Amino acid sequence: MFWPRIYIFFRSIILPISKIEKLLPKKGTYIVMVKSYSALSKIIRFGMRVEQLFKREKYVDLNHADILIDGMVSGAIAGGVANRTVNSSYLSDGKKRELYLFKVKVPKGKKVVLRDFCLDSDNKRYEVLNFLWHAIDILFHKWFGKKGKAARKKVYCIEYAAMGINKLYPELVKEPWLINPNDLYKLLVSDNKFQLIEVIKVPITK
């Protein structure tokens, strides 16, 4: 069994941001799943815990996902889809978070397709109602959000990461608008196209 390396930084150890940044790859293609600690992040993780309780699954404590391609972090955040640096995405705000890095096996010729998708998606609007639709789906197994092409106009983080995966492996995620953090994590750990290589714990620095 493959075990990822786990880098743990305690608040008492003062490290320059540049040294922490070096742990994140500058080359290659990754899906980064994130555990963060804002109020909204905790609510999302609570919802995922409820779903896992209903399904009697092992609890996965994650709430966000990004695409990391050659050092560019592309993800759907509150202001919409943004292409950012590793520093501005995970480090410069000084907030505590955990980063799960899944390396992606990229088919020949598909990397440029994913990169162009990320660049073309810049400023795509965020789907602010996703929390409501997923809460209803968890409790009542009914989806009232948008589907298909209509769902692509506005996206949330997990959906966006799934859409990126589909650029590499078409239809691997059949319904990206339905996928939640639990679903994405289960896909990443069960499919050999992805490999968990690092877990990085970023401390509070501000």
Side-chain angles (χ1 to χ4, degrees):
M1 179 179 291
F2 177 84
W3 293 99
R5 289 175 289 167
I6 300 180
Y7 293 96
I8 304 176
F9 296 101
F10 297 98
R11 190 174 182 181
S12 59
I13 299 176
I14 301 174
L15 289 174
I17 290 295
S18 60
K19 287 191 176 181
I20 301 176
E21 189 173 356
K22 288 178 181 178
L23 296 175
L24 291 157
K26 303 298 186 296
K27 294 292 183 181
T29 304
Y30 302 81
I31 299 296
V32 183
M33 293 207 71
V34 183
K35 176 182 180 179
S36 45
Y37 293 86
S38 67
L40 179 58
S41 300
K42 291 177 181 178
I43 291 171
I44 292 171
R45 296 206 308 275
F46 174 76
M48 295 299 93
R49 180 175 291 184
V50 171
E51 181 190 57
Q52 289 165 335
L53 180 63
F54 286 165
K55 294 182 177 180
R56 297 185 179 181
E57 294 177 346
K58 185 178 180 181
Y59 181 46
V60 178
D61 200 22
L62 300 167
N63 56 270
H64 179 78
D66 291 310
I67 299 164
L68 174 60
I69 179 167
D70 290 342
M72 178 181 75
V73 178
S74 185
I77 54 178
V81 174
N83 294 306
R84 301 158 290 155
T85 66
V86 164
N87 191 299
S88 62
S89 300
Y90 306 128
L91 304 174
S92 62
D93 63 2
K95 294 181 180 179
K96 178 181 178 182
R97 53 176 55 90
E98 297 174 17
L99 310 175
Y100 288 65
L101 272 67
F102 290 87
K103 187 171 179 59
V104 184
K105 294 179 182 178
V106 178
K108 186 176 181 180
K110 289 289 189 178
K111 188 172 187 178
V112 66
V113 175
L114 177 61
R115 184 193 63 198
D116 289 348
F117 164 76
C118 293
L119 294 174
D120 291 343
S121 298
D122 205 21
N123 295 318
K124 184 186 287 286
R125 294 174 63 190
Y126 187 82
E127 176 52 88
V128 296
L129 293 177
N130 75 87
F131 179 78
L132 173 62
W133 305 140
H134 279 284
I136 293 172
D137 187 47
I138 289 170
L139 295 173
F140 303 106
H141 307 292
K142 296 287 185 180
W143 182 255
F144 293 101
K146 293 181 179 180
K147 303 177 182 179
K149 291 182 179 180
R152 300 175 194 169
K153 294 180 181 179
K154 294 189 290 184
V155 296
Y156 66 99
C157 62
I158 305 298
E159 177 186 13
Y160 179 71
M163 291 167 65
I165 289 171
N166 280 348
K167 293 297 178 182
L168 302 175
Y169 297 99
E171 300 300 315
L172 182 61
V173 181
K174 301 297 183 184
E175 299 174 312
W177 56 89
L178 273 177
I179 197 169
N180 63 38
N182 293 345
D183 299 327
L184 181 59
Y185 180 83
K186 286 186 290 186
L187 171 66
L188 296 178
V189 297
S190 64
D191 194 311
N192 63 11
K193 300 178 186 66
F194 312 96
Q195 183 182 29
L196 178 61
I197 62 163
E198 311 247 7
V199 178
I200 301 174
K201 296 191 177 183
V202 181
I204 298 172
T205 58
K206 291 183 180 180

